[in-house]
Amino acid sequence: MQPCWPITGHAVAVRLGQLCTVLVALTLVIACGGKPDVKPVVSAPDPRPKAIITTKFGEIHFKFYPDVAPKHVENFIALAKSGFYNQTIFHRVIPGFMIQGGDPNTKNSLRKETYGAGGPKDEKGNPIYLKAEFNEVPHKRGIVSMARATEPDTAGSQFFIVVEVSPFLDRKYTAFGEVIKGLGVADKIVALPRNDQDLPKERIEMVVTIVE
């Protein structure tokens, strides 16, 4: 027969304390449904302005990159607020590459030969150009960048949205924003039937709104 060691009062108190601890832990787990009581972290809304391009296919929302292209962001916002972009169209679409718009000449559906040559002008009718702000933002899918002529400092109002990664544009065109919602709308536009000049056979007009 194995010896039976006596249990002291101190040992009983220790065991009772351990049992109480276990019971309290089980009660907490059951009361919480087995999950810790953690409150979700709510992110503060981004106070910076954003653009919304409204088309017949839906809306494209994009944010700006003022830290790397301040003058291009300022220019786009000013033009959009003035209504400059409203009723212009996406006049150049290339599958696997990008969609381009923002030319005021495209408001006239009868002067297709001038599409791609327009931009903002001063009170004397002279073109207003932006100095290039080439930066390190890669031209990945969803990037909004500024179109230009052959020379670097010739951007005005025309912009394009990249639908497929295009690294050959990096540091050669000014990226100034990125789509955060509605990139599927750009996919629909880029897939439209087009002519030999990459002009969609269907007019896709835009209205551009700035949300602050």
Side-chain angles (χ1 to χ4, degrees):
M1 177 181 296
Q2 294 293 328
C4 181
W5 301 104
I7 300 176
T8 66
H10 175 72
V12 171
V14 170
R15 291 187 181 182
L16 286 175
Q18 291 173 339
L19 179 60
C20 289
T21 301
V22 171
L23 289 174
V24 169
L26 287 173
T27 302
L28 288 174
V29 169
I30 293 171
C32 296
K35 297 180 180 179
D37 184 17
V38 178
K39 295 182 180 180
V41 177
V42 179
S43 300
D46 190 342
R48 292 172 296 184
K50 297 176 181 63
I52 301 175
I53 302 173
T54 303
T55 75
K56 65 170 67 177
F57 292 127
E59 295 180 345
I60 301 172
H61 297 225
F62 71 87
K63 63 182 180 180
F64 295 104
Y65 288 146
D67 294 342
V68 296
K71 294 299 181 183
H72 282 68
V73 171
E74 179 183 308
N75 176 71
F76 188 94
I77 290 176
L79 291 176
K81 286 183 174 181
S82 73
F84 182 93
Y85 288 115
N86 297 345
Q87 282 71 57
T88 63
I89 69 170
F90 285 100
H91 64 275
R92 187 171 177 237
V93 300
I94 303 178
F97 182 22
M98 60 88 207
I99 61 174
Q100 181 175 330
D103 180 355
N105 291 351
T106 62
K107 294 182 180 183
N108 188 335
S109 62
L110 302 178
R111 297 190 61 195
K112 293 182 176 62
E113 71 280 1
T114 68
Y115 290 5
K121 296 180 179 180
D122 62 21
E123 64 277 1
K124 295 181 180 179
N126 298 315
I128 299 174
Y129 294 130
L130 292 168
K131 184 175 179 58
E133 293 177 304
F134 301 154
N135 53 67
E136 297 302 314
V137 175
H139 282 77
K140 62 182 180 179
R141 175 172 163 81
I143 287 297
V144 184
S145 193
M146 212 66 177
R148 61 172 176 82
T150 306
E151 296 300 318
D153 301 334
T154 52
S157 62
Q158 296 185 47
F159 64 95
F160 59 92
I161 300 174
V162 181
V163 296
E164 294 294 342
V165 60
S166 302
F168 54 89
L169 301 177
D170 294 351
R171 295 175 295 281
K172 296 178 181 177
Y173 290 80
T174 300
F176 68 95
E178 183 175 356
V179 175
I180 55 175
K181 180 181 177 182
L183 195 50
V185 174
D187 290 332
K188 292 179 181 180
I189 295 172
V190 81
L192 291 171
R194 57 199 170 108
N195 66 14
D196 294 338
Q197 285 74 47
D198 299 317
L199 173 68
K201 295 181 179 180
E202 180 180 355
R203 278 185 68 84
I204 307 300
E205 294 187 355
M206 71 179 79
V207 172
V208 182
T209 306
I210 302 298
V211 179
E212 297 182 290

